[in-house]
Amino acid sequence: MLKETRKKLTPVQQEYHQFVKGREPKRPILKNCLCAFFIGGAICLLGQLISTFYIHFFGFNEKTAGDPTVATLIFISVLLTGFGVYDHIAQVAGAGTIIPVTGFANAISSAAIEHRSEGYVLGVGGNMFKLAGSVIVFGVFSAFVISTIKVIIKSLGGF
Amino acid sequence: MIQGRTWVFENRPYIAASSAVGGPFEANGPLAEDFDFLHGDLWLGQDSFEKAEKMLLEQACKKAVDKAGMKADDIQFFLSGDLMNQVISSSFAARTLAVPYLGLFGACSTSMESLALGALIVSSGFGDKVLVGTASHNAAVEKQFRYPTEYGGQKPQTAQWTVTGAGAAVLTSKKTKDEIYVAAATVGRVVDMGISDPFNMGAAMAPAAVDTIESHFRDLGLSEDEYDLILTGDLGKIGHRIAGDLLVKHGLKLPEEKFGDCGLMIYDEQQPVQAGGSGCACSACVTYGHVLNRMKNGELRKVLIVATGALLSPISYQQKETIPCIAHAVAIEKGGDPKK
């Protein structure tokens, strides 16, 4: 819990927090990290295999193979989400399935599926970016800030 | 008669019949045999989860009315609530039933809130055929309170699994064959111990359950082994442990084998439900199915159900509010000769 909110608690509430603390199971951080590392790594390995496949059989080069590789991973992720498998993998993998592009695809497709019952416009369209929207907003904004810094440094004669 | 904040029903409201309906997850649980209907399909053939929840409640209500040997028209009042915004499942089920209706909201404590109020109506003589019920649907609740069902977020061990199901009971003033009646009800206070993690409802709700259990025992001057079974609604593994320890700390040592939690009974250890079951239907299904069946068999004679509810909304926790919780207790007893 955040320190600020804890300060607002009454002494009785703080005492209860201490009482609860010893009775809660600890989050298995090490296990979660290892699962995330290996499953996330496996997804990256799969991406690398797909990329190599496109380079060898479809005449892409290392630079251009990126786009079809990402598209393929997104496709697989959306398919697994639709079949109701992705959330079960994610329960074990944690960050391992959220961080790669597959997690982003899952966030969008799961929200789209979920709100299909409210129609295409108000349901699917309106809610598709419910979870992924903030990734886009803050992703674009941080890209803007970083590129501005780069341009300034460059114009000052930097690298 | 009122003692403290406990209603003691002198004119006994009898439970004429009750029903429990469950979904696919509940069908794999250890209490599967106590359900009247079990659905293999989470959609129940509907095109949305919300409609499926309404179907669950309608089925439970119809079954309970049937079992009581009544028709829907005979019901004088229908008291119900659920977890959906604006309690739509209950109101829509009431639309189908077309009987006088009062919509309630007590989050997961609605099962006992409605039973207590129904008993009050019957006992006071303002009605003698009252239907009470509640429902919850895993996917509909996840959608409203958390993330989309298929979203790949990792749930911590303290999270709980919302029960898909519905429970309903018919209360009447006429003595029934089983002589199972509502003896008393303790109305809960809102207790907030400053827990703000919606994935740790058990810890948030435990103090409310403890508060209500304590005052129930104090109000009625009961001894610790008064009841054959005391069940909290949906505290789960963590909440149940906390509640047990808190009660001991407050000087109320309930016998361990008689103190349980509906959320721990409805699923077994192998099912991936983290800390246990939750939702309105959790305590409703266990009480109206399993517990009442055991009472009919004579295995249990005095039972106290303490349904716990977390009164948060998705907006309140995004605004960093802590979770206020409530618990309502209802004592259900079996009359007649205990040796029978």
Side-chain angles (χ1 to χ4, degrees):
Chain A
M1 180 182 268
L2 293 169
K3 267 187 187 156
E4 290 167 48
T5 43
R6 179 160 286 182
K7 268 183 207 157
K8 281 186 214 151
L9 297 177
T10 63
V12 182
Q13 288 176 328
Q14 287 188 4
E15 195 193 322
Y16 182 65
H17 274 259
Q18 289 305 319
F19 189 83
V20 166
K21 235 182 180 179
R23 288 164 178 80
E24 269 175 357
K26 287 213 170 64
R27 279 192 185 216
I29 294 174
L30 185 71
K31 191 185 141 230
N32 284 353
C33 286
L34 288 174
C35 284
F37 179 77
F38 285 107
I39 299 177
I43 293 171
C44 298
L45 180 69
L46 177 72
Q48 187 56 51
L49 290 176
I50 295 168
S51 167
T52 314
F53 170 79
Y54 282 129
I55 293 168
H56 275 270
F57 296 99
F58 290 94
F60 286 96
N61 62 36
E62 252 180 50
K63 247 187 177 170
T64 54
D67 292 344
T69 304
V70 169
T72 312
L73 282 174
I74 290 174
F75 182 77
I76 295 171
S77 166
V78 172
L79 211 58
L80 289 177
T81 305
F83 285 136
V85 182
Y86 198 89
D87 56 329
H88 295 289
I89 304 172
Q91 179 60 32
V92 183
T97 45
I98 289 178
I99 305 297
V101 71
T102 52
F104 191 67
N106 165 256
I108 294 178
S109 54
S110 64
I113 295 168
E114 188 87 345
H115 293 279
R116 172 65 189 87
S117 55
E118 286 91 73
Y120 284 111
V121 177
L122 295 177
V124 177
N127 290 293
M128 209 167 175
F129 294 98
K130 200 165 84 170
L131 297 164
S134 51
V135 180
I136 297 176
V137 170
F138 295 110
V140 170
F141 180 68
S142 15
F144 170 75
V145 173
I146 299 296
S147 46
T148 311
I149 294 171
K150 190 183 170 183
V151 167
I152 292 170
I153 292 177
K154 234 181 181 173
S155 64
L156 292 174
F159 49 90
Chain B
M1 189 173 65
I2 185 160
Q3 292 182 6
R5 53 184 160 116
T6 301
W7 296 329
V8 181
F9 302 115
E10 281 161 329
N11 302 317
R12 292 177 178 179
Y14 289 93
I15 299 179
S18 67
S19 67
V21 181
F25 240 72
E26 293 65 36
N28 292 328
L31 303 185
E33 282 180 11
D34 290 307
F35 285 90
D36 294 286
F37 290 115
L38 285 164
H39 292 277
D41 172 23
L42 205 56
W43 295 87
L44 274 79
Q46 303 296 305
D47 56 15
S48 79
F49 293 132
E50 289 78 7
K51 286 180 189 163
E53 183 177 301
K54 182 203 73 178
M55 275 285 283
L56 287 168
L57 185 57
E58 280 180 8
Q59 280 187 341
C61 290
K62 277 187 188 146
K63 187 72 190 170
V65 172
D66 271 357
K67 279 166 102 178
M70 296 178 193
K71 279 181 286 198
D73 295 345
D74 297 333
I75 298 299
Q76 292 166 321
F77 297 102
F78 172 45
L79 274 66
S80 178
D82 54 79
L83 288 168
M84 291 292 97
N85 286 338
Q86 289 81 36
V87 290
I88 47 171
S89 302
S90 297
S91 303
F92 287 19
R95 178 177 68 185
T96 313
L97 288 166
V99 294
Y101 156 73
L102 291 165
L104 307 171
F105 182 80
C108 311
S109 71
T110 311
S111 56
M112 288 308 120
E113 183 183 358
S114 55
L115 184 61
L117 286 169
L120 184 69
I121 293 176
V122 172
S123 180
S124 65
F126 283 104
D128 71 348
K129 290 182 185 88
V130 176
L131 177 67
V132 298
T134 186
S136 59
H137 188 290
N138 182 278
V141 168
E142 288 287 317
K143 178 178 176 178
Q144 182 178 306
F145 283 91
R146 299 188 185 110
Y147 300 114
T149 1
E150 298 303 333
Y151 176 66
Q154 194 174 36
K155 284 185 181 154
Q157 289 155 293
T158 50
Q160 286 170 264
W161 179 272
T162 307
V163 171
T164 302
V170 178
L171 294 165
T172 164
S173 55
K174 281 192 202 76
K175 199 172 190 173
T176 56
K177 192 177 94 280
D178 296 314
E179 285 188 57
I180 296 172
Y181 62 95
V182 180
T186 304
V187 178
R189 286 192 300 178
V190 174
V191 177
D192 187 339
M193 289 308 251
I195 303 284
S196 53
D197 178 8
F199 282 118
N200 195 2
M201 299 286 210
M205 295 190 292
V210 169
D211 182 70
T212 303
I213 294 173
E214 270 188 292
S215 48
H216 181 83
F217 277 80
R218 192 176 50 235
D219 289 347
L220 300 181
L222 301 175
S223 67
E224 287 154 346
D225 54 0
E226 181 75 24
Y227 289 100
D228 298 333
L229 189 64
I230 299 169
L231 290 181
T232 47
D234 52 357
L235 295 182
K237 271 179 217 156
I238 296 117
H240 180 66
R241 192 172 155 205
I242 295 170
D245 291 352
L246 264 184
L247 281 168
V248 173
K249 196 180 158 196
H250 294 192
L252 193 66
K253 279 199 187 100
L254 299 174
E256 215 166 281
E257 70 285 357
K258 288 181 182 171
F259 182 51
D261 181 62
C262 299
L264 293 175
M265 294 164 72
I266 195 159
Y267 300 118
D268 68 33
E269 287 281 312
Q270 271 74 47
Q271 288 179 292
V273 294
Q274 283 83 32
S278 71
C280 293
C282 183
S283 51
C285 289
V286 173
T287 309
Y288 295 148
H290 181 70
V291 173
L292 288 185
N293 282 347
R294 286 182 68 188
M295 291 186 85
K296 274 180 209 157
N297 298 339
E299 286 171 54
L300 302 169
R301 302 201 66 85
K302 284 187 98 173
V303 174
L304 184 71
I305 310 287
V306 190
T308 40
L311 305 170
L312 81 168
S313 90
I315 294 190
S316 77
Y317 82 75
Q318 281 167 5
Q319 294 177 350
K320 310 272 185 292
E321 284 264 15
T322 52
I323 305 172
C325 298
I326 196 160
H328 300 297
V330 172
I332 305 171
E333 294 182 19
K334 187 176 164 71
D337 185 7
K339 278 171 203 126
K340 252 191 220 167

